[in-house]
Amino acid sequence: MPYIRPENSFASATTSAINAVGGDVLASVCGVFYSRLRQCANPMRSDVISLQAALDADIAAARAGAGCPYFEVYAACLHDAGAITGLANERAGLRAMIKSIAALLRECADRMTAAIEPKPRLCGVAA
């Protein structure tokens, strides 16, 4: 009977990477034996691969079109722990600033376009 892997677990990330790339290929990329990857994919064990191996596995999985399973689990764990919630406010502020800059650039472009017309219109008023 197969093991049920929690959604945001390194066991599920390992399984996703193995499925995307293939066990032997992934083991070679990570510099470990395939049996080591199978141990890490077993949710009943606490085995994990090194950070470098996880990065290599994510790169291989991304190249295979399967995203970055380890990164996604790591990001979800940080989010669940509340470690990155403060960034949401910063992102919202940055998003508002970019929208404001974009509106200013659009207005500047409109005024510059109006200024070079045969009969210039500055601020919407014909000269």
Side-chain angles (χ1 to χ4, degrees), residues 11-120:
S12 68
T14 303
T15 302
S16 295
I18 289 170
N19 291 339
V21 180
D24 292 329
V25 173
L26 189 64
S28 176
V29 166
C30 294
V32 297
F33 290 108
Y34 177 63
S35 61
R36 179 77 181 120
L37 289 178
R38 294 300 310 150
Q39 291 169 346
C40 295
N42 184 340
M44 303 305 287
R45 299 178 61 121
S46 60
D47 299 52
V48 291
I49 57 176
S50 71
L51 179 58
Q52 182 62 54
L55 289 171
D56 294 339
D58 272 350
I59 291 168
R63 286 182 177 151
C68 299
Y70 285 97
F71 176 78
E72 291 164 10
V73 168
Y74 184 67
C77 291
L78 286 174
H79 181 60
D80 291 346
I84 58 175
T85 54
L87 297 177
N89 293 335
E90 292 173 11
R91 278 193 298 263
L94 185 58
R95 208 174 286 121
M97 183 177 72
I98 290 170
K99 278 181 150 182
S100 175
I101 290 169
L104 176 65
L105 289 173
R106 275 191 296 275
E107 185 177 337
C108 288
D110 289 344
R111 289 181 184 204
M112 289 173 66
T113 301
I116 63 171
E117 289 181 359
K119 289 188 176 184

